Amino acid sequence: MTQQSLSYRDAGVDIVAGDALVDRIKPFAKKTMRDGVLGGIGGFGALFEVPKKYREPVLVSGTDGVGTKLKLAFELNRHDTVGIDLVAMSVNDILVQGAEPLFFLDYFACGKLEVDTAASVVQGIAKGCELAGCALIGGETAEMPGMYPAGEYDLAGFAVGVVEKAKIIDGSSILPGDVVIGIASSGAHSNGYSLVRKIIERSQPDLNAPFDSVGGHSRSLAEAIMAPTHIYVKPLLALMQALPVKGMAHITGGGLTENVPRVLPPGAKAVLQKSAWQRPALFDWLQQEGGVAEDEMHRVFNCGIGMVLIVAQEHRRHALELLLAAGERAMEIGTIEWREGDEAQTIVV
């Protein structure tokens, strides 16, 4: 008995859909092109020439995903901003060492490729790259039948940047008396979403009900929860050109209490005043609905501060002026002090 001939499509992989996606995303990627890109989307490898303005260039790389925030994206059918989250998590990470992001690559994996959904995600990735000033020069779309539930996908991203060797920011010059500046987050960014989802499961809120207002526009709870991670690249690169920045911390998983110590010398501690900034309503809602302890809030969430800078006292005012002029909500939130014994390196009081 002659068996029917099988195709890749019979196995669950649609090559035509993959080609259609590539055609859809090419215009998005084209908008992110910048000096240094050699070639375009479609090659086996992406080529990029290190800018000639660097005398001793050091490459800085970072990789991340969006985590379980994606589960909410599936449930809410919101796919247009998770790509921004993906870019933000990597470019903000390499930024804290003084690096200018150069290019980004993405990895999109699913069980069955839905072209419209995937195109929406990649359009968000391209938007994130535009905000960061880096080029989306490549990526991978993997359709793997049986690996993911219907309607779900996973994302990973990879950013590469460059910094002048003499200008690497490593926190080694931080001293007691230095000032800690906080820059506002846009929400929970992409961290703590396993707890966020648990709180939603417990409280069963109406996610579409009006929740708060941003810039004069009313938002639903779903919009507040899914707000994309803020990208700090352009204003902070300009700030670093204008004055010395001693240290920076991207407030990601681990919150304020675990990320700020990553940039501090062993003998120093940061004392942060939580009264120095207004915590967004989202975090108050999460704490109340989840009965989350205050220490746990600062260990899991950014609580309204997405990036921390440490500068000398004499540069405090100039730094704040530049950030505010760039449209960032920035404020002095603490100071650096000597650490005693095994005292915690970041204390929120």
Side-chain angles (χ1 to χ4, degrees):
M1 181 177 178
T2 303
Q3 291 186 326
Q4 181 181 354
S5 175
L6 291 174
S7 68
Y8 213 4
R9 192 170 197 168
D10 294 324
V13 179
D14 190 342
I15 295 175
V16 174
D19 291 341
L21 176 62
V22 172
D23 288 339
R24 288 272 294 273
I25 66 178
K26 278 182 178 179
F28 310 146
K30 186 176 181 180
K31 290 174 67 177
T32 72
M33 292 300 103
R34 53 161 291 165
D35 291 343
V37 177
L38 306 177
I41 297 288
F44 287 97
L47 304 175
F48 195 96
E49 183 178 29
V50 176
K52 293 181 172 60
K53 66 180 180 180
Y54 291 93
R55 298 178 59 190
E56 292 185 287
V58 174
L59 296 179
V60 185
S61 59
T63 182
D64 212 333
V66 181
T68 57
K69 189 174 185 177
L70 286 179
K71 296 292 283 186
L72 289 173
F74 307 148
E75 292 169 21
L76 298 169
N77 195 28
R78 290 174 176 266
H79 308 285
D80 57 333
T81 58
V82 291
I84 298 176
D85 286 304
L86 183 67
V87 175
M89 297 306 288
S90 288
V91 296
N92 286 341
D93 271 358
I94 66 173
L95 173 67
V96 301
Q97 290 171 289
E100 171 195 1
L102 297 176
F103 59 85
F104 188 85
L105 296 96
D106 70 277
Y107 178 81
F108 179 99
C110 59
K112 177 175 174 54
L113 182 61
E114 300 289 344
V115 175
D116 288 344
T117 297
S120 182
V121 171
V122 178
Q123 188 170 4
I125 293 171
K127 176 64 175 176
C129 287
E130 284 188 74
L131 292 170
C134 64
L136 176 59
I137 58 173
E140 172 71 7
T141 301
E143 188 176 21
M144 300 181 286
M147 286 288 287
Y148 299 92
E152 296 194 3
Y153 54 83
D154 199 9
L155 294 173
F158 313 86
V160 174
V162 63
V163 61
E164 196 72 68
K165 188 174 184 179
K167 294 184 177 180
I168 294 173
I169 297 175
D170 60 8
S172 60
S173 64
I174 293 172
L175 293 169
D178 289 340
V179 173
V180 182
I181 293 174
I183 309 179
S185 67
S186 53
H189 285 181
S190 298
N191 301 108
Y193 275 82
S194 294
L195 179 54
V196 171
R197 289 170 51 241
K198 193 71 176 177
I199 292 169
I200 292 172
E201 181 184 310
R202 173 191 285 188
S203 60
Q204 293 291 305
D206 179 358
L207 292 171
N208 294 314
F211 178 71
D212 65 2
S213 179
V214 174
H217 300 286
S218 178
R219 294 194 303 183
S220 66
L221 179 56
E223 288 171 324
I225 288 171
M226 294 303 294
T229 305
H230 189 61
I231 293 176
Y232 299 92
V233 173
K234 291 181 179 179
L236 290 188
L237 287 177
L239 181 73
M240 287 183 274
Q241 290 293 319
L243 56 86
V245 175
K246 292 190 170 191
M248 289 193 284
H250 181 204
I251 310 305
T252 57
L256 286 162
T257 54
E258 292 189 10
N259 281 292
V260 177
R262 296 168 68 179
V263 73
L264 298 177
K269 68 179 179 184
V271 180
L272 308 182
Q273 305 287 336
K274 62 183 178 181
S275 61
W277 74 93
Q278 183 176 358
R279 191 161 76 174
L282 175 63
F283 299 104
D284 291 335
W285 182 86
L286 289 168
Q287 184 171 29
Q288 180 179 340
E289 295 296 322
V292 184
E294 188 74 3
D295 287 351
E296 183 75 352
M297 288 295 295
H298 290 124
R299 195 171 68 89
V300 175
F301 300 115
N302 64 60
C303 291
I305 300 296
M307 184 71 76
V308 162
L309 314 181
I310 300 170
V311 299
Q313 180 69 234
E314 62 264 30
H315 298 303
R316 172 187 62 88
R317 183 178 300 236
H318 191 197
L320 289 170
E321 288 173 350
L322 288 173
L323 290 168
L324 293 172
E328 300 294 331
R329 288 175 292 141
M331 63 289 294
E332 182 178 342
I333 64 170
T335 56
I336 302 298
E337 300 179 9
W338 289 119
R339 182 180 176 217
E340 297 181 8
D342 59 355
E343 196 175 21
Q345 279 201 285
T346 298
I347 300 171
V348 183
V349 296

